Amino acid sequence: MRGVVMHTAGDVRVEDRPDPEILEPTDAVITLAATCVCGSDLWPYRGVEPADHQVMGHEYIGVVEEVGSAVETVAPGDFVVGSFVISDNTCEICRAGFQSKCVHAEFVAQTIGTQAEKARIPHADGTLVKTPGTPGPELYPALLAASDVLGTGWFAAVAAEAGPGRTVAVVGDGAVGLMAVLAARELGAERIIAMSRHPERQRLARHYGATDIVEERGDEGVEKVKELTGGLGAHSVIEAVGTQESFMQAVGITRGGGHLGYVGVNHDVQIPGIELFFAGIHALGGPAPVRRFLPDLLERIWAGEIDPGLVFDLTLPLEDAAEAYRAMDERRATKVMLTL
Amino acid sequence: MRGVVMHTAGDVRVEDRPDPEILEPTDAVITLAATCVCGSDLWPYRGVEPADHQVMGHEYIGVVEEVGSAVETVAPGDFVVGSFVISDNTCEICRAGFQSKCVHAEFVAQTIGTQAEKARIPHADGTLVKTPGTPGPELYPALLAASDVLGTGWFAAVAAEAGPGRTVAVVGDGAVGLMAVLAARELGAERIIAMSRHPERQRLARHYGATDIVEERGDEGVEKVKELTGGLGAHSVIEAVGTQESFMQAVGITRGGGHLGYVGVNHDVQIPGIELFFAGIHALGGPAPVRRFLPDLLERIWAGEIDPGLVFDLTLPLEDAAEAYRAMDERRATKVMLTL
């Protein structure tokens, strides 16, 4: 099969890779309908994380081709969406809703690499969710978003306890930040402040439910959000960037006793303990347990209640993956879908 | 009146200080029945925080002597317990239960200094709670503990969501850690692991409800707690020290999706964002909103359900405050009560 390999930072190639096979009775092999490039794929692309002939990709939708003997909930021919973290969905941690910390957790990005024609998915029952029917390609963007960015933004909004009567502030206007805006609106937030200085993303944020846009960053951004919230800060804050500035900005705009949901992958962030301490806030973050939310999210998409697919602003064939990475790296695209 | 002044690190004196007076209509002046030295008082004592003729003390019980014209819930003659943070208990933040982040928050330690015969307490209605009757001196230690260490340990246990079916681990065997053990037991925790290598404190931890003692620290401590919890870590972890090692130890022993309550005042702690991120845990901490818990805690003490007073293992008259600091600094005492 064809699949993406990042030879080294900046060098993305589509190559022949071995076809995946069932190795464990809990495995499934899927034929991908679509995959995409994630903001987090830019970390190795830019040399911030190592990349040495690394398979890439962790978002995926497709059709089950074959299953192991122990797989019960999906069968060949089923259209499925999976989480970017493998989970058994039966262990104590999964049952508590933290499938991304499953005792069998495995990052799809590191070992499987779904920017490819096919993929072996371990723990298929605990990782994949069948769609209510076979979708047409017009639904692919929305379903693919559920695999990570929607699930992650949704988790962030839940972690931040976005809901009725709450003012939510979202730091980060990438795909996850935009999905967090959508999630906050669906969860009933009263007011949603999107922090963005990018006109096109501001427009999309408003489309998804943002009521206010704040262009300022850092200390100025903190001051601005405080002004908008009677000096107190937001009830619910979502951090969807992962830099020192964005993380501390997010801490700074959370009111005392408020909730911070942080899903931007932290790189070289050092949180001063004393600042977090005196902030007096709830914080919950990390790789999102997307599997917890998938069944609900797929139903909402199927019912036409949400359209997360708009975060894809460029679609290319898998063979053009190198251009997809370039477009995102140069910020010519927010998120690129790769078709097969 | 007589009161403690820390001239500089290590130099604690009891001196004549001006008698407090009502300055605002919401003030009360109290005559102290007892006060004490806190673990956090050792930070300036050891030169980790600056001290330049600083008034000291933030824990207090006593009798109301005079109130301002706007005070409604306490009156001269009432016996009261107060929080170590002033709060109005009416603002939006207080109503959400985070009185330590009140819009009128003021640290008693910094400006008032209750290691003294008398104290002016601003926002008396929102800060002080009247005891059900006038206590005898045998209840002073328990009531005084409620003012900070019990309230803080209780908050930590609530923040860590200690409760039925939960395994709770407590990092820190000082007064706050011991009170967190007591709180976890009262909240119904199934198993309570106290991390301590001090025989006397281990004994007290067991008295307060610890079911397991772990003497190992750092990575070894993390491994030991994991061993005790089926490899998963504790559901609920309380950090009651405030050093880099203790904080990261606490993060390390919290299971994915578990809850960390951190109340050790962080000094020079730098939390690696990436470690907190991949831990995937809930965290809530900071100065405890003791006022939230005071009414309930006073009732439990009055009913004889809890006896937090045992954390005081040395009692000295206020005039011997310097010796009280020395005894705690040299770890000859866990916590010293000062009588008047």
Side-chain angles (χ1 to χ4, degrees), chain B residues 34 59-62 79-82 129-151 294 297-302 306-309 312 337:
Chain B
E59 297 153 288
Y60 54 102
I61 58 174
F79 197 95
V80 292
V81 182
V129 177
K130 195 161 76 166
T131 54
T134 299
E138 73 286 356
L139 271 184
Y140 288 1
L143 294 171
L144 183 59
S147 182
D148 179 356
V149 289
L150 172 61
L294 268 183
L297 296 178
L298 298 188
E299 274 183 28
R300 289 174 191 255
I301 291 168
W302 215 259
I306 55 175
D307 181 12
F312 294 103
M337 183 162 86

Side-chain angles (χ1 to χ4, degrees), chain A residues 101 266 269 271 273-274 278 283, chain B residues 101 266 269 271 273-274 278 283:
Chain A
K101 293 291 288 182
N266 280 228
V269 174
I271 308 161
I274 199 90
F278 283 103
Chain B
K101 292 291 288 182
N266 280 227
V269 175
I271 307 161
I274 200 88
F278 283 103

Side-chain angles (χ1 to χ4, degrees), chain A residues 25 89 147 209 217 222 229:
Chain A
N89 210 26
S147 183
R217 286 186 187 171
V222 171
T229 53

